[in-house]
Amino acid sequence: MAPMMKVVAMLAPATVASSASAAEGPLPRSVEAPVLQEPTVQQFWSFLRDYSEVPLASFDRAKAPQVTRVKDLDDATFQQYIRDGVPFVVDDCTKGFDKDAISEFQCKDFADRWPSGNMRAEYTPGQYHIYLKDPDWYSKIHPQRSHHEHMAGNKKIAGPYIWHVKDEEPLKTKRSVQKHWRTPYFLEKSLANRMEANESFEFWFSMAGGGTFTHADAYCESTISMQFRGSKRWRIQAFPEIRHHLNASSFGDEQIYDGKQHVSWTPETEF
């Protein structure tokens, strides 16, 4: 088993597109629109321009709009995507990485190099801790929960293990890991982006049959998910409009399922 990470700048995803021409941006705002009124997803994201919301039961990944996928991403296009908040996938994210890059490591390599690394069993009852040296996490799968609104249906899935190198490991361990960390090429031009990528990474590990339930974290910055090995399927939905101060401003694991919040889980695309 290998770390759950592939080559995708999961800031936003869509159809295969050349980096030479950025995706169409948000539609212009009317000067007559209320200042704090949010645009619709159709107005904001070009890949959803002709999208019509459907209930989860009617969602068909084959008919869903596709997010942008790019290779050879140039800086101007990258900056435009970020400014527009466009979800996209970078299919050659590890371009230029050498043989000592952490993207080449198998799970056992992590265990052998950093045996005292302390992980947490995320989205698992009790969220117990486990050391990297314990082979259980990369040799046995532990299905825990299921939900009919998850893409796995009623089949139980195993939660991932998360290793918070950035803020929960001794500095010595962090610096050791950083020797093998490589910054994606499209972040290299910006010193701020390069430093942030090198200082704030964490690792998510999962065997086949693992995954998470739908959730929306309250991050105040763009994030990237890199898939180094294996594959991972995503279903995403734009954060729903907040019409009242009592509406949810973030969603914990599975909290949006079964309409328990002010909106229902209605994914717009899958990739």
Side-chain angles (χ1 to χ4, degrees):
M1 172 196 157
M4 252 198 109
M5 294 168 57
K6 177 181 173 184
V7 182
V8 302
M10 188 37 220
L11 291 170
T15 325
V16 178
S18 167
S19 62
S21 56
E24 180 186 352
L27 295 177
R29 295 275 288 159
S30 169
V31 295
E32 299 178 353
V35 176
L36 297 180
Q37 185 181 59
E38 297 179 4
T40 64
V41 294
Q42 291 86 354
Q43 293 169 334
F44 196 82
W45 284 299
S46 60
F47 81 100
L48 294 178
R49 197 75 82 215
D50 300 319
Y51 167 77
S52 296
E53 187 176 88
V54 296
L56 177 62
S58 301
F59 176 75
D60 183 348
R61 61 177 296 195
K63 297 179 180 178
Q66 297 298 298
V67 297
T68 301
R69 305 188 73 103
V70 299
K71 290 182 179 180
D72 299 320
L73 181 60
D74 62 81
D75 187 64
T77 304
F78 172 69
Q79 297 294 339
Q80 188 64 54
Y81 285 153
I82 299 304
R83 283 193 293 271
D84 292 343
V86 177
F88 63 98
V89 173
V90 182
D91 283 315
D92 60 351
C93 192
T94 56
K95 184 175 68 173
F97 285 13
D98 57 80
K99 61 182 178 60
D100 291 324
I102 209 160
S103 54
E104 299 297 314
F105 290 9
Q106 300 287 335
C107 284
K108 191 175 184 303
D109 295 327
F110 282 78
D112 292 341
R113 288 174 182 266
W114 302 288
S116 63
N118 192 1
M119 298 189 297
R120 183 175 69 247
E122 192 77 353
Y123 308 123
T124 298
Q127 295 197 336
Y128 61 88
H129 284 255
I130 184 171
Y131 289 110
L132 282 171
K133 65 182 179 182
D134 187 338
D136 183 82
W137 67 272
Y138 62 83
S139 59
K140 298 178 183 178
I141 189 167
H142 301 280
Q144 297 287 339
R145 301 180 300 162
S146 65
H147 197 287
H148 66 96
E149 290 199 357
H150 187 271
M151 64 173 71
N154 291 320
K155 181 181 178 181
K156 286 187 176 182
I157 62 172
Y161 295 95
I162 178 172
W163 188 27
H164 275 280
V165 179
K166 61 181 181 181
D167 53 5
E168 294 183 5
E169 286 293 332
L171 184 60
K172 181 180 179 181
T173 300
K174 182 175 181 179
R175 293 294 182 249
S176 175
V177 177
Q178 284 175 321
K179 292 178 181 178
H180 301 277
W181 175 259
R182 305 293 182 263
T183 300
Y185 68 91
F186 51 87
L187 295 177
E188 281 287 351
K189 188 171 183 178
S190 164
L191 176 61
N193 284 338
R194 190 163 69 246
M195 291 178 61
E196 176 71 6
N198 190 52
E199 291 290 334
S200 65
F201 56 83
E202 59 195 36
F203 296 95
W204 294 68
F205 302 95
S206 181
M207 297 180 70
T212 68
F213 288 167
T214 300
H215 60 279
D217 297 322
Y219 286 120
C220 296
E221 60 183 0
S222 297
T223 59
I224 294 179
S225 172
M226 296 171 60
Q227 184 82 15
F228 289 157
R229 302 273 178 164
S231 61
K232 178 163 53 180
R233 287 168 56 198
W234 295 78
R235 277 186 181 178
I236 61 173
Q237 172 185 350
F239 199 90
E241 183 179 2
I242 298 176
R243 298 188 177 94
H244 191 278
H245 71 279
L246 293 179
N247 288 165
S249 56
S250 64
F251 296 95
D253 203 37
E254 77 173 85
Q255 285 185 348
I256 197 172
Y257 290 162
D258 291 327
K260 292 192 288 260
Q261 299 291 340
H262 69 286
V263 291
S264 299
W265 169 228
T266 52
E268 293 144 354
T269 186
E270 179 179 325
F271 56 95

